[in-house]
Each structure stands twice: as C-alpha cells, then as structure tokens.
Amino acid sequence: MKFTDFDKTEAYKNLSNLSEAGKKLDFTRLMSPDRVAAYTAAIKGKETLVYNWGAKKVDDKILAALQSLADETELIDKYQALLEGELINTGEGRKVLHQLLRSGAKSATGKTVSHESRDLGEFYQGELARFLSFAEKVRSGELGPAPGKSFTALAQIGIGGSDLGPRALCIALENWAAGEGIKTLRTEFISNVDPDDPSRVTASLPLDQTLFILVSKSGTTQETLTNELFVKEKLQKAGLDPAKHMAAVTSETSPLAHNPGYLDSFYFDDFIGGRYSSSSAVGGLILSLAYGSDTFRAFLEGAAAADKAALERDILRNPILLDALIGVWERNFLGCPSTAILPYSQALSRFPAHLQQLDMESNGKRVNRDGKPLAYATGPIVFGESGTNGQHSFYQLLHQGTDIIPLQFIGFKESQRRDDFTLDGSTSQGKLNANLAAQITAFALGRPGTDPQNANKDFPGQRPSSLLYGERLSPWTLGALLAFYENKVMFQGFIWNVNSFDQEGVQLGKVLAQKVLGKGSEGSGDPILDAYSDLLGV
Amino acid sequence: MKFTDFDKTEAYKNLSNLSEAGKKLDFTRLMSPDRVAAYTAAIKGKETLVYNWGAKKVDDKILAALQSLADETELIDKYQALLEGELINTGEGRKVLHQLLRSGAKSATGKTVSHESRDLGEFYQGELARFLSFAEKVRSGELGPAPGKSFTALAQIGIGGSDLGPRALCIALENWAAGEGIKTLRTEFISNVDPDDPSRVTASLPLDQTLFILVSKSGTTQETLTNELFVKEKLQKAGLDPAKHMAAVTSETSPLAHNPGYLDSFYFDDFIGGRYSSSSAVGGLILSLAYGSDTFRAFLEGAAAADKAALERDILRNPILLDALIGVWERNFLGCPSTAILPYSQALSRFPAHLQQLDMESNGKRVNRDGKPLAYATGPIVFGESGTNGQHSFYQLLHQGTDIIPLQFIGFKESQRRDDFTLDGSTSQGKLNANLAAQITAFALGRPGTDPQNANKDFPGQRPSSLLYGERLSPWTLGALLAFYENKVMFQGFIWNVNSFDQEGVQLGKVLAQKVLGKGSEGSGDPILDAYSDLLGV
C-alpha cells in the first residue's frame, strides 16, 4: 500500500488528457432518460439511500479513468487499513476509528481493533451501552434533577465537532420524532465564547429541568470550559446543584474525566476526530436522550450500511467512492474550486454547516501526508442551504453567474411529520420535489436564448449536479447520509495524499489569542496583534 | 453618465498591469501598526461603524488606481442617479429605491422622487407611519386576537427576501432587546414549501396568541401562498378566525391587496427589490412588532447614515465604496472567486445567509445591462458563519488550504445582553475579541516553518481580510451594517456593468416545476424532467 502525491500517478495524467473533452461534454446531447436510469447506485439495508449521477460531466471513458484512479491509488485497500486500525492519521500518529463506533465490536471487515492491548471495539460498545442506558433512565424519569422531577430539556456545551454535527442531527430528527409520536426532549446548544450565546440559551431554558451535556475531548477547549463555568454560575444562582444537572463526554485522559461533579461521564478517545465524533457519545448521548436509544441505534445501522457499501471496488456499485472521484474530477480537471450541498428538506437546514466543517477541515490542506507542499488543488469550499429556500436566494448565481459550481441535491419522497396540505392538485411535498426535479433539469440543460438582446433571460445550463435520495429522512437514512459524506471526504483525502484527520490550521489563532489575553500594559510583543486588539478594546 | 463593460475601461488596464505586483505584496513587510491605524474610515452618526483595511492586499499605488476606477466609471454619479429615481433596473424598467425608505420623504441627495405623479418618498413614509402605529397597537394590547387578549408571538410567512433579511435582523436584535429590557414578542418564520416547515412552526406556537405576517410583493409566490393556506387551515381547526390573526405586506397591485381577510395590509412597490426590502414593511413590520417602533426607527437611521456616507467621492473616506473596489480587485485581479463573512457575534449567525442572497442574487450575472455576455468574472461566492464557531470548523482550509479566500470580519467591543463572565482575568467578550484580533494577524502574517518535515504546522499567511467594527450590535449599527452591504453590492454591480436588481435566473426552475406538477400520465413532454420527477415519486 503506497501513498503517492496525486500528480505523480498515471491516473492524473490520463485524467489531465481527458480534461478538455470533459469540459466540452454537452448535457443536451449526453443526457437521456436511459442515462438517468442507468447512472444510479444505492446503499442498501433496512432502508435505501440512492445516488444518481446522470447530470454529472462524465461519460464511460471518464468513468473508466476514475476506476483506474481508484485502483491505482488503492483507495479500498487504504480504507480497509483504516478500518482495521492502521495509523492513518500520520501527523498525530493516531488510528482513525469513527467507523468502528457503528460496526459492532469488530471492524466492518470483521477484524478486532486493539491499542495497547485494549480491544477498542469492545470499549466503544461498552460506552455505547452505558450512554444508551443513561439516556433511557433520564427519559423514563428514573434519573431526574430531584426526587420526583424529570428532565425536559437538554443543552449541549461544545464547539466545532462537539456542536455542528450533533446540532445538525438533532434538528434533522425533530420532525421525524414528531411524525412518529416519539416523546421528545427539547435540545439547545451553547457553542460560542460570545457571552450572548450562553446568556441567551440559559435565560430561555427551565434550568431546574435542564440536563447540560459538556463535550470536550481534550477537556481544555477554551470556549467550552468558559461556557461550562458560565452555566454553572447560572445554576448556582438559581439555587441548583450543578452536579445534578450535568453529564460529561470527554476522553479518559482529559482533566474532566472521572469527576464526581457530573451525573455521569462517557468516554471516547483520540482515534475519534472531533468532526467525525457524531457517532460516539458526542452526538449519541444527546440524540438518544432527545429521541430515544432505538432512534440512535437505527442511526448507527444506517451509518454502518454506508460504511459497508464503501468497501465495494467497482466504482459503479459504490456510490460514495464514485461521488468522491467525481468531486476530484471537478476540482482538479474541470477547475471548480467550490461545491454546494442543497438538501430539499427544512430538517437538514444545518446539515451543510456540518459538512462544511467535515470537508473543509479535513481536506483544506496544502501539504501531503509527509508534510511536503503540494502542487495541486485539494479540498474545495463547501456551502449550502435548504431548498426551496436557496432557489429564492443564491441560485441566481448558480444558474447565471460566470463560474460553474458543481451541486449535490438531497431529497426524500415523503415528509417527516406526515402533515401535508393539498393545493391545486398537489401536496406540498409534491411541490417540493417538483422543484428539485426542475432544478436538476434547468441546471443541466438550460434554455437557449431566443432574443440576443435579452440574454439575461438565457440559461446556459451545463451546470453539473448529483442527487442523493431516500424514502424519508429517518434515523437510518440520516446515519447513511452522514457516513456517506465522512467516507467521501476520506476517499478524496487519500487521492490528494493529505492527512484528512488532523487540523493544525487551528493552532496559530489559539496561540495568538492567548498572547492578547496575557499581554500586560507593554503589549504582547507582536505590534500588529496589539494594533488589532486595541481597535477592539481588548 | 456612461455604462461601459469593465474590461473596456482604462482602469481595467491599469489594474491588470498592477495585478502581478499586487499578488506579490508581502504582508510581513507591508504591515505596521501605523498602517493599521491609517487604513481606516468610519460611518458616523449617533453611533459609529468603522472599516479597517490594514490587512488587505493594497498599497497607495493600487488605492490610487481604484480611485481612478471609481472616478472613470462614475460610481458616485450612478449612485446619485439611483437615489434620485433613474431607471437603474433596466431589465425590468424600474427605479431602485430601497434607500428612499430610510432617507425621509426626500432622497439622500435632497430630491423628491416621483412616479406617475405620485411622490414615492411620501408614500413610503406614509406606509412606515401606518405599520409603526399598527405595531404599537399590537404591543400595547390595544389590538389583539380577541377582546382582552394580546398577541405574544409573531410568525412571518415569506421566502427569499421576505425571509432571509427579516429573519437575520430579528435574530440580531433579540439579545440587544433583552439587554435593554425591551419587551419582546417571539418571532418565527415559515418559508419552505416543505410541509415539515409550516407543520413544525405552527405546532410550536400558541396559535390563539399568534399574529401571522404574510409577505409577498407579487402576491403570487407559490411557497408563500401554499403556506398561507396551510396556516389558515390550522387556525380554523383550532377554532380561530384567520382574519383576526393575519396581516399582509404586499404591493398595491397584487391579488392580496385590499383584502378584508387581513387585520391590516401594508404596501411597498416594484422599486423595492425583494432582497433589498428589509427597510420596508417586509422587515420593518415584524421588527417593530417584536422590539418596538423606536427600535426600527433607530435601525433606519443607521442605514440612512451609511447611505449618506456612500456618497463621498474620496474612496479613502468612503468605506463602502472602498470595500466594493477592493472586492473587485480581489475578484478580477487577484483571482479569488469567493469571499467569506465572519461575524464575531452569535447574534449575527444568520446574517451571512442574508448577505449570500443579497450579493449572489444581485451580481451573479453573466450578461451586462444590455443583455450582452461578459468576458470577465462578476459576483463571487459568499459564505460564512459566526466566530469563534467557524474557527473550529472551516478556518482550517482558510489558513492552510490551497486557495486564498478574502475575508471580512465583523466585531463589537461590547456584548448585547451585558451578561458576561470573567475567567482567568478576562471576560468572554474579551476572549471573543482576542480571538478576532488573533485571526486577522494569523491570516495576514502566518508563521514561518521551522521544520521542513512538518510543514503541516506552517502558516503561509498572506490571506487578506478587512474588519468592520462598532461599539455594540445595536439597531443603529445593524442598520448601518445592512446598508453597508447593500451599497457595496450596488457599487460592484456598477463596476461590472451588470443589472444588480433583477433575478431572471430564478425563472426557468419555476416554469419546469409547474410542468412537473401539471403533467398528466403521459408526462410533461420533457423526458429528462420526467426521469427525475419519477425518481422522486412526483
């Protein structure tokens, strides 16, 4: 298994040679109903998540070159090695094991994964069982803030991976739980060191019925520790005992671990990166508290199904691998520096913000796995908002701007709440999906102009998009969706030969912020830093 | 006053010649405390909003070339003509008058603006007075849903400009109102045609105490009309009379106008574009209902101050014009296709989503004002999230990715709620701003590597950013901030010679969605459209 810079591969040369022809592919000639039907692959399990690439700028020749890229760079072998505990995170000398959180006690390939003679699959399963049991005790009222009282609200204190993923997932399942008649605890999040954030959230909560979940792997995150103490002061001022209102999710080596100041503590470790931690207690505790342990188990099953599907070597039967390859094709050979994710589901309103972290923090790297600068583009900008809202916002630029931005649509046949409204012969869900189908078509085919004096009404088309769709946004589908993106980002990182699992880019800002906070009257020693902190009155 | 394609100007040639030197400008040599202090300009009024461009890739030579660009393309003359009612929106043959909403009965240049013998300044002032009075009656309880009952919650039904701006502004002032002890009505928004959106919001509201605000300029927006009827059905099922729970904001020519089915109706017209309508009743009604008429008046004053500041011809004393010019410099001569807006204030969490619409829908155009295709790049991709949250997310790519993304930071010296917490010798607000100062410095100066084997810990720097800051995020500051961006986008549109005030790019999708919804068993006649709508079960 060899790690090679992308521009040193045979596949890179082949794809470079195909680049001009690829840019010239014309959707009005390329696309047909047969192509749409054929260019499809699914993740299957209890439910199904389907990927359709009919409107991507690829033909059979390009797909063959992408298959060669996958084979030459041994993507599946690298993925297997990762699953089985190899030190894929070279910069930090760590294993990468978020998939093990959802494959049971063994890896998706059936292997035991150990570290220093500890069976990590068993460790993760043990913590899973502990936090699911804790969640059910809270939900049943067996564990409450005081005798005879129950928790009705949850507030997670965390930032980055301890916030964006869990928050997006909680929002994503709220309507589903309502549609299923599942008892729900209110969920809030405190993330920003901006004091207005914890102040607003705590003022809005029934503190005496609120369970706070403190999440920090290292136990040293400045924002999170500050907000924990902010919250504890509010609890004390309300005459409440913080130790009866707080649980912790951290690593066993953190200063927060084994602290009797929490109702309970749940552990994960350095092999679970922050942005990949939604499948651990970081996401799982609040999800199972809010919507029940069965809900979180179904979520893990969906994610496990996607992890398994990602092992397939034939790219036409592996939607995740194919999407990763097409993304690289667009980034490095069609020259597209950004991509948009457009879920046609209001429940996924914050899912793009999570994917923004997942993708940009993982692959926004300019050096290879050995710390050598790279001569090609790596991770793109990722942004997005839910449709149909985006249609009335930035889609103007997507349709008629001067740059081409590859798109990924997400849709579901059914609504979550099953509370629909029929007007003019169609349901709102029908209108939503009619818009989705219309957008894919409009972006791809455009509309030729009839009046050269009014080219502002022309649609050039030739805007590529893919579609991910399922029956309904359920826990299983959400898990599959999350793992789809986690694995896509991993494959792209392998291709670009970057370490997708560290984030050294966050360090310098931390160091300089501490310099500002520690500076005396003579300044920090860094005149530019002082000039800006003076402007801001700090 | 001449409208010329950008690449036909003298300034374009000059700037092209400066491009290579500009790319080579080195912040480690360029920047000094004196530069940071000097490269600053403010919008002044009752409060102040300051712009600092010390960390932008410009020197005095480039600034002189940008001044020549402003002069040659007559940006201030065009702005004056717009203020005074010229038909700047050529595609639709319309005036562009959102600034008139906040300059009193006359334009910011002191002129009366009329259309078909109606004084539009007076019309807008009249509607303003009407909706502020309506808001105060609701707030005092004089106008309620039933005798002796008051409205406690508001829900706006609208999409695009009727949603993103008003929503961002409501969130932005919630904490400020709490900090000031101002009585607040809860605000919610229903935008998406996804049935889960209105279903969730209506299920969460005390319907008998809720005032719904229906917003659609044309009165024909599919999503909004569908959601209005969805809501009305919920009201009726709850035994409530929709006519006692709903006000409308629309144009006088819309099918919704003069309808006794609303408590009252407030009007604006075709000269107020959707994404520019926050200063009309579209944003003003819900803001004055939620936080009081004085709050909205202060907001308008801040916006008017920014409109006035934008009239200055010297770019070094006109922060809005300068920011627009620097944005064009980065887009067309430094080769940056995207830009990020990073507010260090949780209250501005949805402000970037509004700016995304404002900018991308206005300048995401590929033809000039006469409908001729353009040979240069226009509007960039705009995205962003609040700091410090973003630091733990996509900043990795901003610091160490392969592309350079120009940044705009926004900060405030004081918090909104004045509920802060001191830890390790600093307040949370101090920590927030220390992070902001640290990021500007880190992006500009980077940190040279010491170990060539670990270049993943190097920071190349040379990432440009600007800083907009004020004392506190108040209504005045928020108004100034909103108008800052509205006018910046306008200036850039003038430079690119595009019509920033139409949005023909949204039309094709609407037409195709109707084809899907209207298709019979034989299909829509468009086989690709049918293929995708079949996949989605519609």
Side-chain angles (χ1 to χ4, degrees), chain A residues 191-192 194 196 199 223 234 338 346 350 357 366 371 381 385 387 389 392 396 400 416-417 419 455 505, chain B residues 192 194 196 199 223 234 338 346 350 357 366 371 381 385 387 389 392 396 400 416-417 419 455 505:
Chain A
S191 51
N192 204 325
D194 177 352
D196 288 334
S199 174
E223 287 91 338
K234 294 287 179 203
S338 61
Q346 193 61 17
R350 291 301 288 166
Q357 176 188 23
R366 49 185 281 286
I381 292 169
E385 294 282 338
N389 291 5
H392 294 258
Q396 163 67 42
Q400 293 187 321
Q416 286 189 313
R417 297 176 67 98
D419 176 21
Chain B
N192 204 325
D194 177 353
D196 288 333
S199 174
E223 288 91 338
K234 294 286 179 202
S338 61
Q346 193 61 17
R350 290 302 287 167
Q357 177 189 22
R366 50 185 282 285
I381 291 170
E385 293 283 338
N389 291 6
H392 294 259
Q396 163 67 41
Q400 293 188 321
Q416 286 190 310
R417 297 176 67 99
D419 176 22

Side-chain angles (χ1 to χ4, degrees), chain B residues 450-468:
Chain B
T450 47
D451 177 1
Q453 290 307 309
N454 283 303
N456 64 329
K457 295 182 202 278
D458 294 356
F459 290 80
Q462 309 300 338
R463 265 73 174 157
S465 68
S466 59
L467 170 64
L468 267 171

Side-chain angles (χ1 to χ4, degrees), chain A residues 433-434 437-438 441, chain B residues 516 519 524 528-538:
Chain A
N433 286 334
T441 308
Chain B
V516 174
K519 73 172 174 166
S524 69
I528 302 298
L529 184 61
D530 289 346
Y532 281 105
S533 56
D534 285 352
L535 292 185
L536 292 159
V538 61

Side-chain angles (χ1 to χ4, degrees), chain B residues 1 51 77 137 239 285 342 443 449 490 496:
Chain B
M1 209 175 64
Y51 175 70
D77 304 278
K137 277 186 199 154
L285 179 56
L342 307 168
F443 278 117
M490 170 196 70
W496 287 320

Side-chain angles (χ1 to χ4, degrees), chain B residues 239-309:
Chain B
L240 300 164
D241 177 1
K244 296 218 154 74
H245 284 268
M246 215 172 260
V249 177
T250 187
S251 68
E252 289 171 297
T253 52
S254 113
L256 303 175
H258 310 294
N259 185 330
Y262 302 111
L263 278 172
D264 207 339
S265 297
F266 305 99
Y267 301 108
F268 65 124
D269 61 23
D270 281 343
F271 307 142
I272 310 298
R275 57 194 173 275
Y276 295 94
S277 65
S278 288
S279 301
S280 74
V282 172
L285 179 56
I286 192 163
L287 280 167
S288 46
L289 281 162
Y291 310 122
S293 56
D294 289 347
T295 300
F296 187 63
R297 281 198 184 279
F299 169 87
L300 292 180
E301 274 180 45
D307 293 338
K308 207 154 185 185

Side-chain angles (χ1 to χ4, degrees), chain A residues 38-84:
Chain A
Y39 273 20
T40 195
I43 296 166
K44 288 179 186 162
K46 281 193 186 156
E47 301 172 45
T48 306
L49 181 68
V50 187
Y51 175 70
N52 188 291
W53 67 96
K56 281 293 190 185
K57 286 245 156 164
V58 292
D59 58 13
D60 290 349
K61 208 165 166 184
I62 294 161
L63 288 170
L66 293 174
Q67 178 73 62
S68 299
L69 168 59
D71 296 340
E72 182 188 356
T73 52
E74 303 174 292
L75 297 182
I76 300 301
D77 304 278
K78 287 171 184 164
Y79 175 38
Q80 284 178 348
L82 178 147
L83 291 175
E84 294 171 10

